[in-house]
Amino acid sequence: MAQFPIYRPRRLRRTEPLRRMVRETRLSADELIAPLFVVHGRGVRNEVASMPGVAQLSVDLLIKEVQELANVGVPAVLLFGIPANKDERGSEAYAADGIVQQAVRAIKDQRPEMVVITDVCLCEFTSHGHCGLVDKGEVLNDPSLELLAQSALSHAQAGADIVAPSDMMDGRVGAIRRALDGAGHSATPILSYAAKYASSFYGPFRDAAQSTPQFGDRRGYQMDPANAEEALREVELDIDEGADAVMVKPALPYLDIIRRVKERFNRPVAAYQVSGEYAMLKAAGKLGWLDEERAMLESLTGIKRAGADLIITYFAKTAATLLRRSG
Ligand code: PBG
């Protein structure tokens, strides 16, 4: 290796055109996915206090948002639904006319080219707020699979392009794959939330999706933040069960996991920059403690540099707008 003074790394950092030429990681709108929250009603826009710029939208306003996203080049959205009624079995999660199913149909009708990904989980739809069925304070695994598979199938039937199970029950990818294939949807891909950690960074999301567990927490099914080997086992299982792409979530505190998953498996890797990551940057930006725009782009670049092929982020529209401007 050439040593100083022969080699001077600063030579190629001297001007912006030079830096641009040797830049190793380039963000693009093509890899961004915008999460959206849909509610019943018309003309409804409920701002989420802990996530400035994010709101629960009724289908009519959701369509406008999808149009704006498409206009700045964001290719995909990830849908979450807030039901009219919650019950113990999360019935609206797999109802043919549930809020998510309605939203999927409306988007595919108005903007067929927008890739619609649906979050498959029960927690927004259950009265207890857990991601599966509950009996005597226990979140049941196998009985929940049937309902998750029904939800995924109802999303595919409504026209979803990709289904994304986020519940972390064991065996759900296989159960969903079988349900889809058995009903003629063998072409619908599964993006599994494979390494999903029990994270404090989901706090603001639970305000947005009204999905806070009514008792206990999710540590009995989501992963322990201290574990990395286990994340690789989770990813391997999901791929064996038929996952087409795998996700690591959250993103910034788990960049090592993103890197290891990317190096070990030959599947597209998605990273979810979650609500708490968004809220932190927004809050510090508002206080003038950080340059929000630069911190946002730096975080997204870091996530991509770590190995993410796709990034789910509440900054999708802002980031895509900036990337478009900077060419
Ligand atoms: C549903 C789900 C959650 C998130 C995505 N899907 C919440 C949770 O597991 O508690 C979090 C997303 C975010 O924080 O932005 N299971």
Side-chain angles (χ1 to χ4, degrees), residues 5-53:
I6 306 296
Y7 177 54
R8 292 175 181 266
R10 288 186 53 188
R11 287 183 195 124
L12 289 174
R13 288 180 206 146
R14 216 165 37 83
T15 66
E16 181 52 22
L18 283 171
R19 290 192 289 272
R20 201 177 163 124
M21 284 178 73
V22 298
R23 191 157 291 148
E24 298 173 35
T25 308
R26 267 175 238 279
L27 275 179
S28 143
D30 293 340
E31 61 228 6
L32 302 179
I33 300 170
L36 296 175
F37 300 94
V38 59
V39 280
H40 287 274
R42 274 196 72 81
V44 183
R45 177 180 195 93
N46 300 328
E47 305 284 342
V48 181
S50 50
M51 301 174 72

Side-chain angles (χ1 to χ4, degrees), residues 262-327:
K262 177 68 185 169
E263 281 178 353
R264 177 86 66 100
F265 303 97
N266 61 346
R267 286 294 188 285
V269 178
Y272 197 146
Q273 182 186 50
V274 300
S275 57
E277 298 179 66
Y278 176 80
M280 284 196 299
L281 295 180
K282 280 289 189 188
K286 191 164 151 191
L287 287 167
W289 291 356
L290 274 181
D291 177 334
E292 185 183 315
E293 203 170 286
R294 287 189 56 198
M296 166 189 75
L297 291 174
E298 186 176 331
S299 306
L300 294 172
T301 302
I303 293 165
K304 179 160 186 191
R305 194 193 60 238
D309 301 294
L310 300 166
I311 306 176
I312 301 159
T313 173
Y314 301 96
F315 286 117
K317 192 163 75 177
T318 315
T321 307
L322 280 173
L323 292 170
R324 167 161 292 227
R325 221 176 289 146
S326 65

Side-chain angles (χ1 to χ4, degrees), residues 144-156:
S144 303
L145 300 181
E146 169 64 17
L147 301 185
L148 292 161
Q150 274 185 44
S151 300
L153 180 55
S154 69
H155 295 170

